Amino acid sequence: MTPGISGLITWIVILVTAAVSYQGFKSHFFIEKYEFSVEKIRLYRDYKRLITSGFLHVNWMHLIFNMLGVLFFTGTLSYLVGPVGFLLIYFASMLGGNLISLLLYKNQSDYTSVGASGAVNGAIFATIALEPSIRIMFLPGWLFGLIYIAITIYGVRSKRDNIGHDAHLGGAMVGMLVAIALQPAALVENWLTILVITVPTLIFMYLIVTRPHILLIDNLFFNTHKNHYSVDHKYNESKFNQQQEIDRILDKINKRGMNSLSQKEKQMLKEYSKK
């Protein structure tokens, strides 16, 4: 595959994701229509959200961080598996990460999330599976992968930070498995790297899906779990506040009439009516 085609794929993914994310930055209603939502997927079977949510981001920093991952790894992975293989790994990892989140949060109907992190992690770990000697952050790929998986497993259990480790874990594993399916020889050549990363991850994923109570344990830094305020929690609160504001506007119309609304209130009501 030529560098030109690889670069074209990279920039198409980045530009489309940036364009969709920017639309979401401008309108909460747009995000609500396409975000990952346990309630919308399970109750209303709106399965497109398993993919569309991967093109949305919470803010510019979230977007830039993920797109840097695409920029750094598309070329190598495309060279190893070809353009179709790269796109297959990217979207399969996006889907896999969200499916893990759906399983983990299936009883939390208000859980929502956005971001391409699962897809990006899938691309990274697919690259590691096929080329363990690749350098990532000055570390050999196999060592980076092992450390990352250990941190991610700890992050899921401890819930100490604001990161959706579950989607990262699912995306990473799907990326590796699809890469191996595309290049079976890697399983023979790089079996030790793949084994060291995959076995503990699959065991842990099985446990968090079948025995979620293991997440409710104390971590090394706190005697009891604290409700850490994640990006998703912030977004859910934002949606709640927005609904409160709409209710206030409707109450104002009921008491004082439509002419009592400010221009900003009218615009908010107009956007809400398009939802």
Side-chain angles (χ1 to χ4, degrees):
M1 177 176 160
T2 66
I5 297 176
S6 174
L8 180 62
I9 290 175
T10 300
W11 287 109
I12 287 175
V13 171
I14 290 174
L15 291 174
V16 171
T17 304
V20 175
S21 293
Y22 179 66
Q23 185 64 32
F25 297 160
K26 297 191 299 179
S27 171
H28 283 295
F29 301 116
F30 184 83
I31 292 184
E32 288 177 358
K33 186 176 180 180
Y34 296 109
E35 68 185 351
F36 173 90
S37 167
V38 172
E39 178 184 20
K40 297 297 190 302
I41 294 171
R42 295 198 68 203
L43 186 59
Y44 299 104
R45 300 183 180 181
D46 192 0
Y47 299 123
K48 72 176 185 295
R49 294 169 180 267
L50 294 169
I51 295 296
T52 57
S53 60
F55 289 90
L56 295 167
H57 290 81
V58 172
N59 51 42
W60 283 109
M61 186 61 67
H62 189 203
L63 171 65
I64 291 170
F65 186 79
N66 276 334
M67 292 305 97
L68 284 175
V70 174
L71 186 63
F72 293 151
F73 286 93
T74 303
T76 301
L77 189 55
S78 295
Y79 174 78
L80 293 170
V81 299
V84 175
F86 165 75
L87 292 174
L88 179 60
I89 289 170
Y90 189 83
F91 286 104
S93 301
M94 184 185 294
L95 179 62
N98 280 331
L99 286 175
I100 288 295
S101 293
L102 188 63
L103 285 170
L104 187 58
Y105 297 106
K106 62 183 178 181
N107 295 321
Q108 299 180 34
S109 62
D110 61 341
Y111 181 84
T112 61
S113 66
V114 294
S117 300
V120 174
N121 277 276
I124 292 172
F125 277 81
T127 304
I128 292 172
L130 301 180
E131 196 68 43
S133 61
I134 188 173
R135 308 291 291 189
I136 304 175
M137 296 178 64
F138 307 106
L139 295 173
W142 65 269
L143 181 58
F144 172 87
L146 185 59
I147 293 172
Y148 184 92
I149 290 299
I151 292 172
T152 300
I153 288 175
Y154 174 75
V156 173
R157 293 189 71 189
S158 67
K159 295 184 179 294
R160 288 190 66 232
D161 50 34
N162 301 333
I163 302 172
H165 293 286
D166 43 277
H168 293 193
L169 202 61
M173 286 302 95
V174 170
M176 286 191 72
L177 293 174
V178 174
I180 292 169
L182 293 174
Q183 300 283 349
L187 193 57
V188 176
E189 297 170 3
N190 309 320
W191 66 270
L192 184 57
T193 296
I194 294 169
L195 190 68
V196 167
I197 293 175
T198 303
V199 171
T201 304
L202 292 180
I203 291 173
F204 187 72
M205 287 171 63
Y206 171 79
L207 290 176
I208 63 176
V209 170
T210 60
R211 301 175 186 178
H213 60 275
I214 70 169
L215 300 179
L216 303 177
I217 65 170
D218 296 342
N219 59 50
L220 298 176
F221 295 89
F222 299 95
N223 290 327
T224 58
H225 274 297
K226 297 182 180 180
N227 293 322
H228 294 279
Y229 202 50
S230 70
V231 170
D232 293 322
H233 292 144
K234 290 178 182 179
Y235 184 65
N236 286 332
E237 182 184 61
S238 174
K239 290 200 300 181
F240 174 78
N241 291 338
Q242 187 179 67
Q243 185 60 53
Q244 292 288 94
E245 181 66 10
I246 291 297
D247 291 342
R248 183 192 66 78
I249 292 173
L250 293 176
D251 186 58
K252 184 176 180 180
I253 293 174
N254 185 52
K255 291 179 178 178
R256 304 179 189 176
M258 192 70 178
N259 291 333
S260 66
L261 299 184
S262 65
Q263 191 61 37
K264 182 179 179 180
E265 289 171 332
K266 290 179 180 178
Q267 182 62 32
M268 180 176 288
L269 193 61
K270 182 178 178 181
E271 287 191 12
Y272 184 78
S273 66
K274 294 178 180 178
K275 183 181 176 182

